[in-house]
Amino acid sequence: MSPSPDTILVSEVGPRDGLQSIARTMPTPDKLRWIDALHAAGVREIEVGSFVPPALLPQMADARELVVHARSLPGLQVAALAPNLRGAQAAFEAGVHKLTIPVSVTEAHSLANVRKTHEQVFAELAAIAALKRDRYPHVELEAGLSVAFGCTLQGAVSDDETMRMVDRAAEAGADVIGLSDTSGYAEPRQVRRLFRKLQDAVGAKAGGAHFHNTRGQGLANVLAALDVGVTTFDASQGGIGGCPYAPGASGNIVTEDLVYLLEAMGFATGIDIEGLIAARGILQQALEGEPLYGMVPDAGLPKGFRYADAKAVHA
Ligand code: ZN
């Protein structure tokens, strides 16, 4: 799906990024109901899981089952994440439409996160890209550049460091390169600057924005990215998945608030906010006691609210 400038693709990453940092495993039937409800609300891309060894991350053990189910939902782009060739192979076999390979911009984060040097990470990415070209050419392969705006281990990250990794990811064969603010370091001017540099460097391979709301700057960063023409945004329902080292900090930007912002500004998402709130209810029930974030679900839609595409039928 390549949105026109007035259409934005909101990619729901809650089932992967959100749940990944929640210790309690959400039962598979609840995940299936949640995914169905998100789809019914009009969400057109969902990252349903991560292909990692179940012993390492029991929460993601049902990734294959979720991909297979999600593929049965009409019009849904089914995305997943895989940290290595083995995971990528499993994801391709399961039938993903889009696969994201995380690439840490700093070597410190790479070693801590996937226990690999940059050299090893790019060799693996090249092998995944080769497998994709040979056997799964229809899959969109994304390199998701983590800690692109700042790193919990290294601290500040320069634009040059990030851009070097952009070039290497393109050389290794990624179809799309996205920028992730993994732990809430980004500020809007930096976002504008880096996405412009990304677009100048790789043109049509420039991917979307993945922001966390750790320090409350998430939607400000979205505005900055919109200014320079970014058309894909990751978000998680209820902003779940806050950093375990920062109590009270929310995780990804909140899907409900993001969709509200976009629609209010005139960017069509195709997503119905009431439908999202219904999906949120499933999450709330399944993860009772887990904090959910977002303002729009509590406040509700303002009187006379109009969606960007006024012709769209909303319940
Ligand atoms: Zn993330």
Side-chain angles (χ1 to χ4, degrees):
M1 174 174 182
S2 54
S4 76
D6 287 339
T7 307
I8 299 293
L9 178 64
V10 172
S11 180
E12 171 63 47
V13 299
R16 198 279 302 170
D17 203 356
L19 291 183
Q20 178 175 287
S21 45
I22 291 177
R24 187 174 12 150
T25 300
M26 184 167 169
T28 306
D30 290 331
K31 289 189 189 180
L32 293 173
R33 281 202 302 141
W34 183 29
I35 289 168
D36 287 351
L38 287 165
H39 174 258
V43 175
R44 284 299 166 260
E45 181 173 297
I46 304 179
E47 192 172 70
V48 298
S50 181
F51 284 81
V52 289
L56 213 64
L57 209 51
Q59 181 73 272
M60 296 291 133
D62 53 5
R64 182 187 168 83
E65 195 178 341
L66 299 178
V67 168
V68 169
H69 174 78
R71 275 182 56 98
S72 73
L73 301 173
L76 183 66
Q77 161 120 320
V78 182
L81 184 136
N84 53 34
L85 179 60
R86 194 172 167 167
Q89 171 89 55
F92 288 143
E93 277 167 13
V96 293
H97 299 121
K98 175 179 172 182
L99 183 65
T100 299
I101 313 298
V103 173
S104 298
V105 168
T106 69
E107 195 135 44
H109 189 266
S110 185
L111 289 168
N113 201 36
V114 291
R115 296 188 198 87
K116 287 195 182 86
T117 63
H118 278 147
E119 223 43 68
Q120 293 168 315
V121 166
F122 287 109
E124 193 118 17
L125 180 59
I128 295 167
L131 173 65
K132 180 215 108 122
R133 272 194 307 273
D134 286 351
R135 301 193 43 203
Y136 307 95
H138 54 281
V139 176
E140 181 177 284
L141 183 65
E142 179 189 54
L145 265 52
S146 332
V147 298
F149 300 87
C151 170
T152 39
L153 299 166
Q154 176 183 304
V157 170
S158 72
D159 291 9
D160 287 351
E161 282 177 276
T162 296
M163 292 311 298
R164 268 198 297 278
M165 296 303 124
V166 166
D167 291 340
R168 291 185 72 174
E171 278 163 27
D175 299 319
V176 177
I177 299 157
L179 300 181
S180 300
D181 183 24
T182 310
S183 32
Y185 276 62
E187 47 86 2
R189 291 177 78 173
Q190 179 190 23
V191 165
R192 227 175 266 128
R193 199 174 64 229
L194 259 180
F195 272 99
R196 274 208 195 101
K197 289 184 181 181
L198 173 69
Q199 292 154 356
D200 289 347
V202 299
K205 287 186 170 190
H210 177 103
F211 295 132
H212 282 245
N213 201 35
T214 322
R215 293 179 176 79
Q217 309 307 307
L219 291 186
N221 289 330
V222 167
L223 279 185
L226 284 170
D227 280 350
V228 294
V230 174
T231 55
T232 300
F233 292 91
D234 291 355
S236 80
Q237 206 161 33
I240 57 169
C243 173
Y245 306 108
S250 75
N252 294 90
I253 54 171
V254 177
T255 310
E256 297 88 322
D257 290 357
L258 172 67
V259 170
Y260 175 78
L261 171 73
L262 292 168
E263 292 286 343
M265 287 179 74
F267 294 103
T269 63
I271 299 173
D272 178 72
I273 294 168
E274 306 285 354
L276 272 186
I277 291 170
R280 179 186 173 101
I282 294 171
L283 185 62
Q284 200 146 31
Q285 224 173 33
L287 295 177
E288 210 193 325
E290 196 66 43
L292 298 187
Y293 302 92
M295 311 297 279
V296 172
D298 287 341
L301 292 176
K303 194 172 178 185
F305 179 75
R306 288 169 69 89
Y307 284 88
D309 179 359
K311 295 186 296 295
V313 180
H314 291 278

